[in-house]
């Protein structure tokens, strides 16, 4: 199963602002900082689109794979210890924190922060693959 990062309202605001600036620029408002501002908004919109395309989480029976642009991290299900809100005192936050703990010889403790589009499906898949983990969602 693949879960993509949420595009969200901020992404749509960047795209809407870029579209508005492009329309203004095309209709003749080309003086001052409009061109530079339009270029900045275009680059930020492209960044949001690329993040949406290249940040995702794959789940299968073996492990959880997080892909962030060109970095990939694999966490076997037996190492997942806790799943909860990234901001515990703000339950309305959509961000999830998945903690893991690797045993020696390559011991590592860390977490994955996820903001998937399908939060309910993501949590259901986590319940399915990591029943030993402590859930606080």
């Amino acid at each position: 199963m693949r879960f993509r990062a949420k595009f969200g309202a901020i992404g749509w605001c960047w795209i809407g602002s870029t579209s508005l600036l492009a329309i203004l620029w095309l209709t003749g408002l080309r003086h001052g900082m409009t061109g530079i501002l339009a270029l900045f908004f275009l680059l930020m919109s492209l960044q949001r689109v690329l993040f949406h395309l290249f940040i995702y989480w794959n789940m299968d029976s073996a492990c959880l794979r997080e892909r962030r642009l060109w970095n990939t991290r694999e966490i076997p299900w037996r190492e997942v210890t806790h799943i909860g809100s990234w901001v515990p005192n703000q339950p309305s936050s959509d961000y999830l924190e998945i903690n893991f703990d690797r045993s020696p010889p390559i011991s590592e403790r860390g977490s994955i922060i996820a903001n998937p589009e399908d939060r309910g499906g993501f949590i259901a898949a986590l319940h399915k693959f990591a029943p030993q983990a402590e859930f606080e969602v």
Side-chain angles (χ1 to χ4, degrees), residues 37-50:
L37 194 60
L39 179 64
F40 171 73
F41 274 75
L42 176 67
L43 291 174
M44 291 303 291
S45 296
L46 286 174
Q47 177 200 28
R48 295 299 302 177
V49 169
L50 288 175

Side-chain angles (χ1 to χ4, degrees), residues 25-38:
W25 190 77
L26 290 172
T27 58
L29 184 64
R30 293 189 176 123
H31 68 300
M33 296 284 291
T34 308
I36 294 170
L37 194 60

Side-chain angles (χ1 to χ4, degrees), residues 12-118:
W12 289 112
C13 286
W14 278 112
I15 290 188
S17 299
T18 302
S19 301
L20 177 65
L21 281 170
I23 290 170
L24 290 175
W25 190 77
L26 290 172
T27 58
L29 184 64
R30 293 189 176 123
H31 68 300
M33 296 284 291
T34 308
I36 294 170
L37 194 60
L39 179 64
F40 171 73
F41 274 75
L42 176 67
L43 291 174
M44 291 303 291
S45 296
L46 286 174
Q47 177 200 28
R48 295 299 302 177
V49 169
L50 288 175
F51 279 7
H52 179 70
L53 293 174
F54 295 110
I55 295 178
Y56 54 85
W57 301 271
N58 281 336
M59 295 186 195
D60 58 24
S61 60
C63 65
L64 166 66
R65 271 182 214 87
E66 179 188 45
R67 173 76 180 203
R68 289 197 177 268
L69 298 178
W70 50 83
N71 295 327
T72 303
R73 182 191 284 182
E74 291 187 6
I75 309 298
W77 291 116
R78 67 182 178 284
E79 297 174 356
V80 175
T81 58
H82 178 264
I83 297 157
S85 178
W86 187 38
V87 186
N89 57 352
Q90 187 181 4
S92 62
S93 172
D94 287 340
Y95 287 87
L96 294 171
E97 182 178 30
I98 303 159
N99 295 319
F100 61 91
D101 191 10
R102 289 198 173 133
S103 55
I106 307 173
S107 45
E108 177 186 6
R109 179 178 276 176
S111 63
I112 291 177
I113 307 301
N115 187 21
E117 283 181 330
D118 181 12

